[in-house]
Amino acid sequence: MYVYDEFDRAFLAERVSEFRDQVGRRLSGELSEEEFKPLRLMNGVYLQLHAYMLRVCIPYGTLSSLQMRALASVARRYDRGYGHFTTRQNIQFNWIKLSELPDAMAELAEAGIHGIQTSGNCIRNTTTDPWAGATPEELEDPRLYAEIIRQWSTLHPEFTYLPRKFKIAITAAKHDRAAIRVHDIGLRLHEKNGERGFEVIVGGGLGRTPFVGKTIRDFLPKEHLLSYLEAILRVYNSGGRRDNIYKARIKIQVHEIGTEEFSRRVEEEWAEIRDGALRLDDVAFATIRDRFITPDFETLEDRPAALTAALAADPAFARWHANAVTAHKVPGHAIVTLSLKPVGKPPGDATADQMDGVADLADEFAYGEIRVAHEQNLTFPHVRQKDLPALWRRLDALGLATPNVGLISDIIACPGLDYCSLANARSIPLAQRLTERFADEARIADIGRMHINISGCINACGHHHVGHIGILGVEKRDQEFYQVTLGGKGNHKARLGELIGPAVSETEVVDVVERIVDTYLDLREGPQETFIAAVQRLGLDPFKERAYAAR
């Protein structure tokens, strides 16, 4: 956990005071909604379909138990008793009254969290691997670099009003759990000739015009991280489209001028600033690293006898363990994923009681630390293996032990038309119906790894383009229809899904998904062949034929 200093705390208090005055002027009529809009957006406040929404930043997805309790308190006191965790490792509160927003933000600020730069045309929350600092796969903890980027990008005077919003993701593991190739900038820490540095990927993004990012520099020494990011942002800021909101993202700029030309401009800009004030030295790295508090891990037996006995004695615990528990870099410990996708519930939602419960369990079992994952689940990055049986029982009582992580009912979905004024169709009810259709644990285990992503409009907040099965809500004749894509991936082998045919109605879409799944089960070469591998081997035609056979 990174510990904020007195400057951070004072800054947040001043921002809350400033926003309280702005809200007062809006409520009095001194400010119109149009005048108020840029002020609220700077604090993560949107005007949604039915009410104001507050989006709270969770820097690189890391929360303390204290901060989780603050989120629970805001959900209980100012909202309707729950919050929605997003693919950007943030949380959204959808029903806070405008008059109470300053009080809610003040409470969050006391815990060191806020909504700054969770909206607007600025650099948004830098995201990373929810297993950072825990997984044996990584070279080192990428959160150090995410924090450096946070400090550089927060209220950066040159990049406060970019052509469009801007998103950065970073990973240091071989397996990409941060979807870096579908971000404006993706950073992959790796090693070359004994030195560690970054592969820099630019121009990824989904939405109306989806692209997988292009590598513009295979290896960037770590000391040049900020200067190179600054060069990229300058090229984008000066040359990005401001005349058309649909063509304003960096992905369009890279596509229109070409990767080589974009890279040339960045290198030219970087040559001017690479050895200036933004160059990072050992002191700079050490200053940030020293403010991270790492757990004082106990020396423990790996795979203790009590855990082995519990796995043999209880099949339900064994199923959960096989699905939700992952290897840790420290012997005797484990990484645990908490599913926020129970059958029939909105994906990514957590009640205030669940958040308080998670905070209590983090203190008791997980060194007080919680992560928010890109897939809209939570993670305890550090759990003693000996405590896993007791933790599972407590999570089960909270409704957070569904053994479906990475399986068909672990659905990513945006809020959709139930909340969002931009949406064309509902996402949440569709996700609920799909989890009900695929509720049998034995069946979903047989189906194996499968990702369904649902977006309620072309803005793709549900990342449908990179779902193994992607579902996009569209409007036809004032009714909700859904397009289906297959074959998308958001990992280190990122690719965009392909449309299989015409949109289907709201009443048909669950049946269409089931026919696609049944086609896979019938045609796979065995349980070892995953759905995505079968799609790549077979192509779309067999799935398309079966999906539309009943129409």
Side-chain angles (χ1 to χ4, degrees):
M1 290 291 300
Y2 183 79
V3 180
Y4 293 117
D5 58 20
E6 187 57 40
F7 175 85
D8 291 301
R9 290 189 287 272
F11 167 69
L12 289 184
E14 290 172 7
R15 176 56 75 95
V16 171
S17 176
E18 177 184 74
F19 187 66
R20 190 180 297 278
D21 175 69
Q22 292 164 352
V23 169
R25 288 189 287 144
R26 173 70 189 104
L27 292 172
S28 71
E30 183 180 344
L31 290 176
S32 67
E33 180 57 41
E34 197 60 29
E35 292 169 325
F36 181 57
K37 181 178 178 179
L39 303 176
R40 61 173 169 78
L41 287 177
M42 286 192 289
N43 293 281
V45 179
Y46 288 77
L47 182 57
Q48 294 281 76
L49 195 61
H50 307 293
Y52 286 99
M53 179 267 282
L54 173 63
R55 180 181 294 149
V56 178
C57 177
I58 301 172
Y60 34 92
T62 298
L63 280 171
S64 68
S65 56
L66 172 69
Q67 290 170 329
M68 182 63 89
R69 289 189 182 92
L71 296 176
S73 177
V74 167
R76 186 177 289 113
R77 295 181 61 187
Y78 303 106
D79 206 279
R80 294 186 177 180
Y82 67 94
H84 176 75
F85 290 96
T86 78
T87 58
R88 293 294 304 160
Q89 298 181 310
N90 295 319
I91 187 172
Q92 295 180 177
F93 296 106
N94 289 292
W95 298 101
I96 299 181
K97 296 176 182 177
L98 178 59
S99 60
E100 296 180 342
L101 266 169
D103 291 337
M105 292 168 71
E107 190 167 331
L108 293 172
E110 284 291 319
I113 44 182
H114 56 81
I116 299 167
Q117 291 187 204
T118 61
S119 58
N121 295 337
C122 58
I123 301 171
R124 302 287 185 88
N125 181 32
T126 297
T127 56
T128 193
D129 188 344
W131 298 355
T135 176
E137 297 176 17
E138 68 186 13
L139 285 176
E140 57 183 279
D141 191 338
R143 293 178 303 155
L144 167 69
Y145 306 101
E147 174 60 26
I148 289 170
I149 294 170
R150 183 196 73 82
Q151 294 190 20
W152 161 78
S153 64
T154 300
L155 301 186
H156 192 301
E158 192 174 342
F159 306 138
T160 301
Y161 297 102
L162 294 165
R164 198 71 173 87
K165 58 187 176 181
F166 203 91
K167 301 174 181 179
I168 302 172
I170 180 171
T171 187
K174 181 179 291 186
H175 186 85
D176 177 13
R177 284 173 288 270
I180 65 171
R181 297 181 187 276
V182 289
H183 280 74
D184 297 289
I185 295 177
L187 299 166
R188 181 180 70 89
L189 185 68
H190 64 116
E191 204 163 54
K192 185 176 181 180
N193 299 326
E195 183 183 4
R196 290 176 182 175
F198 297 97
E199 176 189 2
V200 183
I201 302 158
V202 175
L206 303 178
R208 186 176 299 270
T209 311
F211 285 102
V212 174
K214 308 294 192 302
T215 298
I216 64 167
R217 178 169 269 267
D218 177 67
F219 189 84
L220 176 74
K222 294 190 295 186
E223 64 265 26
H224 296 304
L225 173 62
L226 292 187
S227 61
Y228 203 78
L229 293 181
E230 183 114 348
I232 293 171
L233 267 295
R234 284 184 176 182
V235 171
Y236 169 54
N237 200 26
S238 63
R241 298 281 297 271
R242 295 178 185 270
D243 60 323
N244 186 330
I245 191 173
Y246 303 118
K247 297 184 178 181
R249 299 292 292 270
I250 193 174
K251 62 187 178 183
I252 303 298
Q253 186 183 17
V254 173
H255 176 70
E256 288 185 343
I257 69 175
T259 306
E260 288 188 13
E261 174 61 17
F262 185 86
S263 178
R264 186 195 66 76
R265 295 183 188 183
V266 171
E267 294 289 328
E268 184 179 297
E269 180 67 39
W270 184 49
E272 300 292 326
I273 62 174
R274 58 176 292 171
D275 293 318
L278 290 175
R279 184 164 184 168
L280 299 163
D281 57 20
D282 290 342
V283 174
F285 286 123
T287 299
I288 302 298
R289 188 179 289 110
D290 289 348
R291 294 195 68 82
F292 273 94
I293 298 176
T294 57
D296 184 13
F297 291 113
E298 301 174 37
T299 301
L300 298 169
E301 178 188 0
D302 213 31
R303 193 82 174 184
L307 173 60
T308 302
L311 290 169
D314 192 332
F317 171 61
R319 281 195 300 274
W320 173 81
H321 184 278
N323 176 257
V325 178
T326 307
H328 196 283
K329 66 182 182 181
V330 177
H333 292 77
I335 302 167
V336 176
T337 300
L338 286 58
S339 172
L340 294 182
K341 319 289 179 62
V343 173
K345 300 294 184 182
D349 279 12
T351 67
D353 288 346
Q354 285 176 321
M355 286 187 261
D356 274 334
V358 167
D360 291 343
L361 293 178
D363 283 337
E364 187 173 350
F365 297 111
Y367 298 91
E369 192 170 330
I370 306 135
R371 306 283 176 79
V372 182
H374 157 72
E375 293 87 356
Q376 297 177 287
N377 290 319
L378 301 178
T379 297
F380 284 155
H382 314 296
V383 177
R384 305 168 192 86
Q385 290 179 11
K386 66 180 182 179
D387 291 335
L388 288 170
L391 174 62
W392 168 68
R393 287 190 290 271
R394 300 273 291 278
L395 287 173
D396 192 44
L398 282 172
L400 298 173
T402 305
N404 65 342
V405 175
L407 302 178
I408 191 170
S409 59
D410 185 7
I411 296 170
I412 290 176
C414 72
L417 194 55
D418 287 308
Y419 298 97
C420 182
S421 57
L422 301 177
N424 297 312
R426 291 169 293 173
S427 301
I428 292 172
L430 173 56
Q432 291 172 299
R433 296 206 316 277
L434 283 166
T435 62
E436 289 163 354
R437 180 69 62 91
F438 295 98
D440 181 78
E441 290 182 8
R443 185 186 184 196
I444 66 173
D446 182 46
I447 294 167
R449 192 161 190 84
M450 182 181 290
H451 302 300
I452 296 180
N453 294 18
I454 306 173
S455 297
C457 77
I458 198 62
N459 289 302
C461 294
H463 295 192
H464 66 278
H465 294 291
V466 291
H468 294 170
I469 299 177
I471 302 175
L472 168 64
V474 295
E475 183 183 340
K476 293 176 64 176
R477 301 183 295 276
D478 295 325
Q479 295 182 350
E480 295 172 52
F481 278 73
Y482 297 86
Q483 294 178 348
V484 179
T485 56
L486 296 184
K489 292 191 290 186
N491 61 13
H492 55 290
K493 297 181 179 179
R495 56 173 289 179
L496 304 175
E498 297 180 68
L499 187 66
I500 65 167
V504 297
S505 70
E506 181 265 341
T507 58
E508 295 176 284
V509 64
V510 175
D511 291 333
V512 166
V513 171
E514 185 165 39
R515 288 196 288 271
I516 290 169
V517 172
D518 288 341
T519 303
Y520 157 65
L521 294 174
D522 291 343
L523 300 181
R524 68 184 179 180
E525 293 183 330
Q528 75 283 352
E529 184 177 39
T530 63
F531 173 79
I532 194 69
V535 171
Q536 290 174 317
R537 177 176 61 86
L538 296 165
L540 299 185
D541 287 346
F543 299 96
K544 179 177 180 178
E545 181 180 346
R546 293 272 291 272
Y548 294 99
R551 300 192 86 199

